[in-house]
C-alpha cells in the first residue's frame, strides 16, 4: 500500500556564505492517510526543514517527496500550514483571514455566501464564533492560534502541517488547544504532521513519533508507534503505564542516545 | 503628591501640557519685541498683530491679478502643491512598489534615484520652464520632483520590510500576484507609504514658497516677494507665520491619517 505522504531518501543542503550546509540526509518517512505524526528532536535538527519541504516552501536537493501520489512542487492549498506565530493578517478580521484561504480553494466553485459559511463553520470548529468579526490584535494569543488552525482546516487540506503550533503559548492554553486539536482530528480524520519539542505533546497527540538525530546532516533516528486507545484523556494518561513507557522512550532517545550539550 | 484627587490630577496634567509652550511662545515674542526695539525696520509684535487683523478682515478681495487678498494667494499655493504632490503620489507610490518588489528594477533605478535625490528642487526649475514654457506648470513640476523621492523610497522600503510570515502565508495559499499586492503588500506597506506622503508634503510646502518667488503670479511665495518690494515687513512676518501654521496643519492632518492605517500601533 502506498503511503499518503511519502518522503524517500530526501536530502537538503543549504548554500550559506560559509559554504554548503547539509541540513538533512536520507530522510525516509511514509505517512498514512488520517495518521497523526509528530516530528521531535533537539533544536537545529532540521525538523522544521522536513515540514517546510512537505509544505513546498523549500525544495529538496535530493530524493523524492510525494503527496497523494503526486510529486510535491512548491506550496499549495492541499497542504495547509499552521505557523508557530499564527501569521494572521492584522488588517483582516478573523473571518476575513479564514475567508482569504477559503476563496483560494473554493473561489471558482462556490458562491460568496457558501464560502462565508465555510469560514464561519471553521471558526465554529475551534469555538471562536464570538470572535468572527474581531481583529487579531483584539484577541488573545491562544485565540489567534485557533484562528490559524481554522484557516488551515477551512481549506479542507489533504494534510495539515503544524510547525510548533503551541510553542508560543502558556501551559494551560496549550493543554486546552491540544485537547481541541484531538477532538477536531477525530472529527475530520485529518492527516497531520506536527513539529514539536514537547515530549508530552508528542505522546499525547501522535500515532507515531518521528525522532530526529542531531544536525548537521540530521536524519530519522527512530520511529515510535504510540498505541494508546483514542479518545485520550490527559488526566487518566498521567498514571498510565503505557503512556509513561512511551514518554520514557522519547526522553531516552533525546537525552541518552542523542544528548546535545547546550548550544 | 499621591494624595491629589482626580480633579487636581487632571488640572495638573493640563497645566503641564500648556504652561511650558506658553512660556516658550512668550519668550519668542519678547525676543521679537527686543529686536524690533533696536531695529526700527522690524515692526513690533503689536504692530504686526494689528496689520494681521486688517489683512485677515478681508482675505478674499480681488482687485485684478496683481492685487488679490491673502486668502486667494494661500489657496493658489495650496492648489499648486496639491497638483504637484498628487502627480508625484500617482507615479511615486506605484514606482516604489515595483522597486521594492522586483530586485531587477531596484538595481536598475537605485543609482538614478541616489544621484537625483540630493539635488535642490529649485535646480529643476529652469528645466521645467524650458520644457513646459510657462511659469505655472514649471512651479508644479518643481513640487512634483521634490515630493516624489520620499514617496518612492519609503514605499520601496515598506515593501521590502513586509514580514516574511505574511509572504509565507501568501505562498502557502498560492495567492496570485494581484491578490498578494491587494491583500498583503498594500495594507502591510500603507504605514510606510503614509510616512513617505507626510515627508513629501513637508518638502513640497517648503519648496512652494521659493518656487513662487521665482515664477511670480499669485501664491504665498510671490506675495512675500511682492511685500518685500513694497517694503511691508509686517506682511512678510505674517506670511512667515501663515506658511508655518499651514505646514503644521498639513503635518497634523497626515499624522492623524497615518495613524488610521497603522496596524502595528493598534
Amino acid at each position: 500500500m502506498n503511503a499518503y505522504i511519502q518522503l524517500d531518501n530526501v536530502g537538503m543542503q543549504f548554500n550559506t556564505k560559509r559554504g554548503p550546509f547539509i541540513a538533512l540526509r536520507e530522510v525516509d518517512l511514509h505517512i498514512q492517510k488520517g495518521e497523526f505524526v509528530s516530528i521531535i528532536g533537539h533544536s537545529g535538527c532540521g525538523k522544521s526543514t522536513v515540514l517546510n519541504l512537505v509544505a513546498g516552501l523549500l525544495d529538496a536537493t535530493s530524493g523524492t517527496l510525494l503527496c497523494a501520489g503526486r510529486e510535491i512542487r512548491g506550496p499549495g492549498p492541499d497542504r495547509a500550514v499552521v505557523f508557530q506565530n499564527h501569521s494572521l493578517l492584522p488588517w483582516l478580521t478573523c473571518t476575513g483571514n479564514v475567508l482569504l484561504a477559503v476563496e483560494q480553494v473554493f473561489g471558482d466553485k462556490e458562491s460568496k455566501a457558501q464560502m462565508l459559511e465555510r469560514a464561519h463553520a471553521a471558526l465554529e470548529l475551534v469555538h471562536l464564533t464570538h470572535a468572527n468579526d474581531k481583529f487579531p490584535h483584539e484577541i488573545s494569543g491562544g485565540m489567534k492560534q485557533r484562528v490559524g488552525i481554522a484557516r488551515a482546516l477551512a481549506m479542507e487540506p489533504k494534510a495539515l502541517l503544524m510547525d510548533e503550533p503551541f510553542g508560543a503559548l502558556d501551559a494551560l492554553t496549550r493543554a486546552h488547544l491540544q485537547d481541541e486539536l484531538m477532538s477536531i482530528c477525530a472529527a475530520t480524520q485529518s492527516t497531520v504532521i506536527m513539529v514539536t519539542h514537547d515530549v508530552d505533546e508528542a505522546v499525547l497527540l501522535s500515532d507515531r513519533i518521528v525522532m530526529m538525530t542531531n544536525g548537521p546532516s540530521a536524519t530519522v533516528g527512530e520511529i515510535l508507534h504510540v498505541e494508546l486507545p483514542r479518545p485520550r484523556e490527559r488526566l487518566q494518561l498521567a498514571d498510565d503505564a503505557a503512556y509513561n513507557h512511551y514518554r520514557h522512550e522519547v526522553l531516552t532517545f533525546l537525552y541518552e542516545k542523542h544528548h546535545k550539550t547546550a548550544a | 503628591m499621591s494624595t491629589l484627587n482626580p480633579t487636581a490630577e487632571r488640572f495638573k496634567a493640563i497645566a503641564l501640557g500648556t504652561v511650558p509652550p506658553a512660556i516658550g511662545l512668550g519668550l519668542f515674542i519678547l525676543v521679537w519685541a527686543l529686536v524690533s526695539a533696536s531695529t526700527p525696520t522690524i515692526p513690533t509684535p503689536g504692530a504686526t498683530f494689528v496689520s494681521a487683523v486688517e489683512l485677515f478682515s478681508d482675505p478674499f478681495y480681488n482687485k485684478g491679478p496683481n492685487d488679490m487678498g491673502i486668502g486667494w494667494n494661500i489657496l493658489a499655493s495650496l492648489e499648486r502643491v496639491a497638483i504637484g504632490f498628487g502627480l508625484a503620489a500617482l507615479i511615486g507610490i506605484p514606482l516604489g512598489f515595483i522597486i521594492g518588489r522586483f530586485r531587477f528594477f531596484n538595481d536598475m533605478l537605485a543609482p538614478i534615484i541616489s544621484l537625483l535625490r540630493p539635488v535642490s528642487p529649485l535646480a529643476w526649475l529652469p528645466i521645467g520652464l524650458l520644457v513646459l514654457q510657462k511659469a505655472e506648470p514649471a512651479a508644479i513640476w518643481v513640487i512634483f520632483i521634490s515630493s516624489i523621492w520620499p514617496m518612492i523610497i519609503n514605499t520601496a522600503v515598506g515593501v521590502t520590510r513586509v514580514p516574511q510570515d505574511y509572504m509565507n502565508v501568501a505562498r502557502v495559499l498560492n495567492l496570485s500576484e494581484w491578490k498578494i499586492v491587494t491583500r498583503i503588500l498594500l495594507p502591510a506597506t500603507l504605514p510606510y507609504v503614509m510616512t513617505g506622503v507626510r515627508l513629501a508634503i513637508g518638502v513640497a510646502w517648503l519648496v512652494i514658497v521659493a518656487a513662487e518667488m521665482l515664477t511670480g503670479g499669485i501664491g504665498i511665495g510671490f506675495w512675500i516677494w511682492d511685500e518685500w518690494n513694497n517694503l511691508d515687513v509686517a506682511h512678510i512676518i505674517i506670511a512667515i507665520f501663515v506658511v508655518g501654521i499651514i505646514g503644521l496643519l498639513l503635518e497634523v492632518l497626515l499624522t492623524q491619517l497615518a495613524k488610521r492605517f497603522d496596524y502595528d500601533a493598534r
Side-chain angles (χ1 to χ4, degrees):
Chain A
M1 180 181 151
N2 274 335
Y4 198 57
I5 295 172
Q6 194 170 334
L7 281 72
D8 284 313
N9 203 15
V10 168
M12 185 69 208
Q13 180 179 322
F14 293 102
N15 290 316
T16 66
K17 281 175 190 157
R18 282 176 290 173
F21 173 81
I22 299 165
L24 295 173
R25 64 177 169 86
E26 294 158 24
V27 173
D28 290 306
L29 188 56
H30 294 195
I31 295 166
Q32 305 302 326
K33 192 169 184 172
E35 203 177 11
F36 195 120
V37 173
S38 290
I39 303 176
I40 199 165
H42 290 290
S43 61
C45 73
K47 51 192 193 291
S48 290
T49 307
V50 173
L51 198 81
N52 286 337
L53 285 169
V54 177
L57 290 170
L58 292 173
D59 287 324
T61 36
S62 61
T64 51
L65 292 100
L66 302 175
C67 176
R70 293 176 63 179
E71 196 182 352
I72 293 172
R73 282 171 181 273
D78 59 329
R79 283 153 287 131
V81 182
V82 178
F83 298 94
Q84 178 174 9
N85 49 0
H86 67 78
S87 296
L88 299 179
L89 302 175
W91 46 85
L92 297 177
T93 60
C94 294
T95 307
N97 269 288
V98 178
L99 199 57
L100 184 66
V102 173
E103 283 172 352
Q104 213 47 35
V105 181
F106 303 100
D108 41 3
K109 300 188 276 278
E110 296 188 0
S111 71
K112 289 222 158 158
Q114 279 173 307
M115 289 192 284
L116 190 66
E117 206 170 297
R118 276 183 185 275
H120 285 157
L123 285 164
E124 199 183 334
L125 203 60
V126 296
H127 305 293
L128 273 183
T129 299
H130 61 284
N132 275 352
D133 300 322
K134 287 211 162 79
F135 285 92
H137 68 97
E138 295 173 316
I139 60 178
S140 69
M143 288 162 85
K144 283 180 205 162
Q145 203 51 272
R146 282 196 271 171
V147 179
I149 294 169
R151 174 171 66 186
L153 290 171
M155 297 156 76
E156 294 190 351
K158 291 185 176 126
L160 197 58
L161 311 177
M162 310 179 97
D163 190 0
E164 299 187 24
F166 311 132
L169 304 177
D170 65 89
L172 291 175
T173 312
R174 193 186 311 160
H176 186 65
L177 282 187
Q178 286 164 353
D179 291 344
E180 254 178 42
L181 182 62
M182 276 195 286
S183 64
I184 288 168
C185 288
T188 56
Q189 293 293 309
S190 302
T191 309
V192 183
I193 305 178
M194 182 177 74
V195 166
T196 183
H197 51 239
D198 182 335
V199 176
D200 289 295
E201 181 172 271
V203 176
L204 180 68
L205 298 177
S206 311
D207 297 313
R208 278 194 296 159
I209 301 174
V210 175
M211 293 176 271
M212 305 272 298
T213 63
N214 286 334
S217 48
T219 189
V220 176
E222 287 175 32
I223 294 180
L224 181 72
H225 286 259
V226 181
E227 277 153 2
L228 296 169
R230 288 179 190 272
R232 296 172 183 172
E233 282 286 338
R234 71 173 64 241
L235 279 179
Q236 287 169 11
L237 288 174
D239 300 324
D240 188 282
Y243 174 84
N244 283 310
H245 164 72
Y246 292 127
R247 210 172 158 272
H248 189 77
E249 288 278 307
V250 180
L251 288 170
T252 307
F253 178 90
L254 290 175
Y255 297 105
E256 263 178 32
K257 298 179 192 167
H258 294 275
H259 183 70
K260 192 182 185 188
T261 43
Chain B
M1 293 295 279
S2 56
T3 50
L4 281 174
N5 60 41
T7 330
E9 284 281 2
R10 254 187 84 199
F11 183 76
K12 194 181 152 193
I14 292 169
L16 278 175
T18 51
V19 170
I23 293 174
L25 213 61
L27 277 175
F28 175 76
I29 292 171
L30 186 73
V31 170
W32 176 6
L34 288 175
V35 169
S36 65
S38 60
T39 321
T41 47
I42 303 282
T44 61
T48 309
F49 184 75
V50 171
S51 175
V53 170
E54 187 195 346
L55 195 63
F56 281 99
S57 61
D58 185 16
F60 290 106
Y61 72 85
N62 187 350
K63 294 178 194 161
N66 290 323
D67 191 10
M68 291 166 90
I70 188 162
W72 290 121
N73 283 288
I74 292 169
L75 285 179
S77 295
L78 281 174
E79 188 192 337
R80 281 190 199 103
V81 166
I83 295 171
F85 171 83
L87 287 173
L90 222 56
I91 294 172
I93 293 171
L95 200 60
F97 257 98
I98 292 168
I99 290 172
R101 184 95 179 100
F102 303 106
R103 181 72 187 274
F104 177 83
F105 289 97
N106 180 49
D107 293 351
M108 189 172 90
L109 297 171
I112 306 174
I113 292 171
S114 312
L115 180 78
L116 298 184
R117 193 171 57 103
V119 175
S120 164
L122 290 174
W124 293 97
L125 186 61
I127 305 284
L129 286 168
L130 190 75
V131 174
L132 301 165
Q133 302 288 325
K134 282 181 193 147
E136 180 71 24
I140 290 169
W141 153 253
V142 170
I143 297 304
F144 168 84
I145 202 82
S146 61
S147 53
I148 199 167
W149 310 117
M151 290 199 271
I152 293 180
I153 290 164
N154 279 279
T155 306
V157 166
V159 173
T160 58
R161 296 254 175 94
V162 172
Q164 191 55 43
D165 292 345
Y166 300 163
M167 298 316 287
N168 277 341
V169 170
R171 290 185 62 198
V172 167
L173 296 182
N174 249 347
L175 295 183
S176 61
E177 185 67 25
W178 172 248
K179 270 203 168 173
I180 289 176
V181 169
T182 55
R183 299 294 195 90
I184 293 181
L185 290 183
L186 216 56
T189 43
L190 212 51
Y192 288 88
V193 174
M194 288 310 294
T195 304
V197 164
R198 207 170 42 126
L199 292 173
I201 200 106
V203 175
W205 190 244
L206 274 181
V207 167
I208 190 69
V209 175
E212 284 172 349
M213 280 184 179
L214 293 170
T215 59
I218 45 166
I220 190 76
F222 180 69
W223 192 79
I224 293 177
W225 197 247
D226 206 30
E227 297 305 319
W228 166 239
N229 288 331
N230 297 338
L231 272 178
D232 193 337
V233 183
H235 278 185
I236 294 175
I237 293 173
I238 292 163
I240 288 170
F241 277 105
V242 165
V243 170
I245 289 166
I246 291 173
L248 194 68
L249 287 178
L250 289 173
E251 169 93 17
V252 168
L253 198 77
L254 283 170
T255 308
Q256 290 302 319
L257 201 65
K259 263 191 196 159
R260 290 195 48 188
F261 293 117
D262 194 352
Y263 295 92
D264 291 334
R266 291 205 279 175

